[in-house]
Amino acid sequence: MLDVLRLRVLDAVARHGSVTAAARELHYSQPSVSHHLARLEAETGAKLVQRAGRGIRLTEAGRLLADRAAEILGRLDSASAELAAHTGLRAGRVRLVAFPSALGTFVPAAAVRLAREHPGLDLRLAEAEPPEALAMLRAGQADVAVTFHYGTTPPEEEEGVRLTPLFDDPSFLVTSAAVPPTGALAAHAGAKWIAGCDRCRSHLLDLCAGAGFEPSIAFTTDDYVAVQAMVAADLGVTVLPGLALSAHRHTDVTVTELSGSTRRVYAATYGTPPDPPATTALLQALHSPP
């Protein structure tokens, strides 16, 4: 009996004309694609691919099977879509990965709305910063990834990833309550600074550069509870997004909103539309601001 997974590999190789491109589409390693092709040849007893310079091409038998594979896979995908539409949202699973302060603020409220409107859905949650979350999305380990992007320019486009804007999250200067409050970054040019995740660190460096100085970064942590504890102890100053302060606010810090400094929060999905009904329902539940 032919293995459907290996038929998908052959179909991808036939459409792209290379193992490398097929591996990229399927999120496999190149050796894995080559292994599946070899196993398919062993199962069929036919030579399906042959070397052609630095690449490969299908043999006559390979082309015949690839054509049939495309038909079979199309029918399977159609049956899956029809079944999902028939089943609707009465059952099933949907997976969400999000950065920590999103999980600590608006995601639980979205989960409550989803459960109220579609009680049969099983929502699975995972935590990851945007780069890792998008990798999980592309690898098929999540259906929706909540991510963010700083600045006024659009985020970098990634093949197959679709971004739905959710809301803008303002940035705040966070200082010890013992320090006289000021909203000017330059007033803290000589202070020690605390940086967060890679994207937040880059944003901090850009803000300080715009204020005419390079910050002296003494500590780095993406734990916004620890960051505020260090600021409260007057070990440094920092910039935090509003969501982090909504999730946790230390009583001994002073926060001042930084005008014109925001990050846009997105819900990311992967693949061509339309999304499965459960994914669409989750997107709708997320689309209300915190």
Side-chain angles (χ1 to χ4, degrees):
M1 181 179 294
L2 295 176
D3 185 281
V4 172
L5 176 59
R6 291 174 186 140
L7 289 180
R8 287 197 182 276
V9 170
L10 181 63
D11 174 64
V13 170
R15 286 185 288 103
H16 293 289
S18 78
V19 169
T20 301
R24 186 181 304 115
E25 176 185 300
L26 298 169
H27 310 294
Y28 292 166
S29 65
Q30 293 184 38
S32 179
V33 169
S34 298
H35 170 75
H36 283 302
L37 289 175
R39 290 298 303 158
L40 188 57
E41 287 184 332
E43 291 170 355
T44 60
K47 185 70 174 176
L48 302 176
V49 297
Q50 59 186 174
R51 294 284 181 184
R54 293 185 177 181
I56 62 171
R57 66 182 179 187
L58 298 184
T59 64
E60 184 177 350
R63 174 56 60 188
L64 173 64
L65 184 56
D67 290 344
R68 294 293 180 266
E71 296 175 10
I72 293 168
L73 295 172
R75 289 181 177 273
L76 283 174
D77 291 341
S78 295
S80 179
E82 290 172 3
L83 183 59
H86 177 74
T87 303
L89 298 174
R90 293 190 297 273
R93 179 190 68 179
V94 63
R95 300 160 299 171
L96 172 69
V97 58
F99 54 92
S101 58
L103 288 173
T105 51
F106 69 95
V107 167
V112 169
R113 288 193 293 271
L114 185 69
R116 182 175 61 245
E117 296 171 9
H118 307 287
L121 278 182
D122 177 19
L123 174 63
R124 305 290 177 88
L125 299 174
E127 177 185 308
E129 294 293 345
E132 294 76 21
L134 290 174
M136 292 174 65
L137 183 70
R138 291 191 297 269
Q141 298 170 355
D143 303 299
V144 177
V146 173
T147 181
F148 62 84
H149 172 74
Y150 281 104
T152 57
T153 58
E156 303 82 359
E157 293 186 1
E158 297 192 38
E159 184 178 358
V161 175
R162 291 178 289 120
L163 298 176
T164 300
L166 296 178
F167 55 87
D168 289 337
D169 187 21
S171 298
F172 294 83
L173 174 65
V174 185
T175 59
S176 169
V179 175
T182 173
L185 289 175
H188 302 280
K192 293 181 179 180
W193 287 79
I194 304 169
C197 71
D198 289 343
R199 291 192 179 190
C200 297
R201 181 191 181 97
S202 295
H203 179 58
L204 173 63
L205 293 175
D206 289 343
L207 286 174
C208 293
F213 70 97
E214 181 178 348
S216 173
I217 297 177
F219 307 100
T220 299
T221 175
D222 56 6
D223 185 335
Y224 49 81
V225 176
V227 168
Q228 292 183 59
M230 287 189 282
V231 171
D234 204 14
L235 297 177
V237 297
T238 193
V239 171
L240 285 177
L243 285 178
L245 293 166
S246 295
H248 171 77
R249 175 72 177 271
H250 198 290
T251 56
D252 295 327
V253 300
T254 300
V255 302
T256 307
E257 184 171 353
L258 297 173
S259 177
S261 174
T262 62
R263 64 179 182 177
R264 176 152 289 190
V265 179
Y266 295 90
T269 51
Y270 188 73
T272 56
D275 293 312
T279 299
T280 299
L282 177 55
L283 289 173
Q284 291 171 346
L286 287 168
H287 210 267
S288 297

